[in-house]
């Protein structure tokens, strides 16, 4: 399934050793995986176990175990994917084009970003959803993260035009 290539895997934490001058006797890594349709906790665990098997092939002394942590309550717990041709996606894209004079980029963000959204919950409830917003991927999770006011106003206008088109 080509969607599986879009699952995000991010090593967010790495802890090991007790002093910089000493070899660490053990290390722990925290890996965040954002799933796509078709992935489950079991398939993610199996994929990570395969990574360990491949690593052990080049380092037979490697000793590693995996533990699947429960999802934090604030995390997006469901996979999300919308077709580019879905009416909601086309409506938001048309509103963006109308407001800005240029077509938006539609599709998966590569490199992908880590963010939370209600979109997966809305889609699971049968409500088609498009994720759209102001700002640039390169500005997310950076020191002094900010957003230009004109980008927020543009997004607000796109939301308004999209709502009017949907409700008309």
């Amino acid at each position: 399934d080509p969607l599986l290539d879009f699952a995000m895997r991010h090593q967010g934490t790495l802890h090991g050793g007790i002093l910089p001058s000493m070899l660490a006797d053990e290390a722990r890594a925290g890996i965040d995986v954002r799933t796509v349709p078709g992935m489950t906790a079991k398939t993610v665990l199996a994929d990570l176990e395969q990574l360990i098997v491949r690593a052990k092939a080049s380092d037979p002394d490697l000793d590693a175990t995996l533990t699947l942590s429960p999802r934090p309550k604030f995390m997006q717990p469901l996979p999300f994917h919308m077709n580019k041709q879905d009416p909601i996606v086309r409506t938001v894209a048309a509103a963006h084009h109308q407001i800005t004079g240029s077509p938006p980029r539609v599709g998966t963000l590569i490199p992908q970003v880590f963010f939370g959204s209600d979109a997966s919950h809305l889609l699971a409830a049968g409500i088609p959803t498009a994720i759209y917003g102001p700002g640039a991927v390169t500005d997310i999770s950076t020191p002094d993260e900010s957003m230009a006011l004109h980008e927020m106003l543009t997004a607000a206008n796109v939301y308004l035009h999209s709502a009017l088109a949907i409700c008309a």
Side-chain angles (χ1 to χ4, degrees):
D1 185 344
L3 287 178
L4 296 181
D5 292 338
F6 291 119
M8 291 188 286
R9 294 166 298 278
H10 173 73
Q11 180 187 322
T13 60
L14 182 60
H15 303 280
I18 56 173
L19 291 171
S21 62
M22 299 176 66
L23 293 175
D25 60 338
E26 78 172 30
R28 292 177 179 263
I31 302 168
D32 178 30
V33 179
R34 302 292 171 96
T35 60
V36 296
M39 294 179 77
T40 66
K42 287 182 182 180
T43 64
V44 168
L45 194 57
D47 290 344
L48 293 173
E49 287 171 345
Q50 283 302 312
L51 289 175
I52 290 175
V53 167
R54 288 199 301 264
K56 284 184 178 183
S58 60
D59 183 359
D61 294 328
L62 177 69
D63 181 24
T65 56
L66 290 171
T67 304
L68 191 61
S69 300
R71 297 173 199 241
K73 290 182 181 178
F74 65 87
M75 298 301 291
Q76 175 179 335
L78 304 170
F80 177 79
H81 175 74
M82 288 297 297
N83 186 302
K84 291 180 184 183
Q85 297 306 314
D86 191 279
I88 189 69
V89 176
R90 291 184 14 225
T91 299
V92 173
H96 174 92
H97 192 230
Q98 180 183 0
I99 299 299
T100 67
S102 60
R105 185 196 179 295
V106 178
T108 303
L109 295 173
I110 299 176
Q112 296 169 13
V113 296
F114 296 88
F115 58 86
S117 168
D118 293 333
S120 67
H121 300 282
L122 293 168
L123 186 60
I127 303 168
T129 307
I131 298 175
Y132 175 87
V137 174
T138 54
D139 295 334
I140 296 172
S141 298
T142 60
D144 301 319
E145 181 177 342
S146 63
M147 185 168 307
L149 182 58
H150 72 87
E151 291 181 13
M152 292 177 62
L153 293 173
T154 297
N157 278 318
V158 170
Y159 300 147
L160 173 64
H161 280 77
S162 297
L164 291 173
I166 292 165
C167 295

